[in-house]
Amino acid sequence: DLYRKVFVFRKDPSDAYVVLRAKLEQPLQNFTVCLRSYTDLTRPHSLFSYATKTQDNEILLFKPKPGEYRFYVGGKFVTFRVPEGHRDWEHVCASWESTTGIAEFWLNGKPWPRKGLQRGYTVGATAAILLGQEQDSFGGGFDLYNSFSGELTDVYLWDTGLSPDKMRAAYLSLRLPPALLAWKSLSYEVKGDVVVKTRLRE
């Protein structure tokens, strides 16, 4: 149970990462991924990387610079331009649905204008899911200068698009529906220099 805990990625740049294990029964037609990050990095870095054997950027949350997030599905991405953070925690949720190809992006409990991405696509179920590195091959192929350094917490993956109420609930750390990956019952393995610590502040 990682309640009120964080992963601290201590080094910059880093070869460390955390492997997450999800119970995926079938390919995803819809999903939502949420997480909270705290970093002073200004270089590009990966937050959440979900790769399959055929597509290394099957799902990817990537931050190329302080005022921008990229959300990848099936190797294609849309960009969400955001205010530069004030060196504080940033909570992001990204959701996608195959039937419409609508990509939603929420930052700190507020929705950004929706965009279109990979309509009709299906996300593969046999996946390597990593925090802290961007995969260029299944479970590997890291570029250290895309690594994450800082603190990560509240990581979730659902096989549905969350409602606006639930998106706000995720930001506020309220009760959430059962998830494929849930922070409070996370199956994970640390690889390299990552430390689990208590969160310093709420």
Side-chain angles (χ1 to χ4, degrees):
D1 180 4
L2 290 170
Y3 180 64
R4 300 216 167 177
K5 298 277 204 314
V6 299
F7 289 132
V8 182
F9 293 78
R10 299 195 322 158
K11 288 205 214 114
D12 174 28
S14 169
D15 58 358
Y17 58 101
V18 177
V19 182
L20 304 182
R21 294 192 175 77
K23 308 270 186 294
L24 281 104
E25 314 286 310
Q26 60 213 29
L28 300 174
Q29 304 287 344
N30 311 283
F31 69 82
T32 306
V33 58
C34 295
L35 57 82
R36 214 179 291 274
S37 67
Y38 188 34
T39 180
D40 59 5
L41 289 177
T42 53
R43 62 165 175 77
H45 55 277
S46 172
L47 292 162
F48 180 95
S49 172
Y50 176 119
T52 58
K53 296 253 166 55
T54 52
Q55 177 51 256
D56 54 0
N57 295 335
E58 190 75 2
I59 303 172
L60 175 64
L61 266 179
F62 191 78
K63 203 166 183 197
K65 56 185 187 215
E68 193 171 301
Y69 280 90
R70 279 187 196 165
F71 176 33
Y72 288 75
V73 177
K76 306 262 180 14
F77 70 89
V78 285
T79 297
F80 294 93
R81 287 171 190 83
V82 300
E84 285 197 25
H86 301 294
R87 298 283 179 263
D88 205 348
W89 284 97
E90 288 191 0
H91 184 266
V92 296
C93 286
S95 81
W96 172 83
E97 62 179 19
S98 176
T99 51
T100 58
I102 289 285
E104 271 185 39
F105 182 83
W106 292 65
L107 177 68
N108 295 335
K110 296 190 179 67
W112 252 235
R114 286 172 277 199
K115 303 200 172 185
L117 182 63
Q118 291 285 53
R119 188 174 187 168
Y121 187 77
T122 299
V123 170
T126 308
I129 308 175
L130 306 186
L131 301 176
Q133 297 287 350
E134 193 250 313
Q135 303 176 72
D136 285 328
S137 59
F138 188 72
F142 308 142
D143 172 351
L144 298 192
Y145 291 93
N146 285 335
S147 63
F148 178 78
S149 165
E151 305 190 14
L152 284 179
T153 188
D154 293 347
V155 181
Y156 287 87
L157 175 67
W158 288 272
D159 57 359
T160 55
L162 289 197
S163 68
D165 283 354
K166 293 287 184 266
M167 289 288 201
R168 284 186 282 271
Y171 170 58
L172 296 168
S173 298
L174 303 176
R175 182 184 289 276
L176 293 166
L180 298 171
L181 285 171
W183 188 248
K184 289 182 181 165
S185 57
L186 203 62
S187 175
Y188 69 92
E189 188 180 349
V190 167
K191 303 280 194 179
D193 196 345
V194 181
V195 183
V196 176
K197 295 292 283 182
T198 303
R199 199 186 300 190
L200 288 177
R201 46 183 286 249
E202 289 311 300

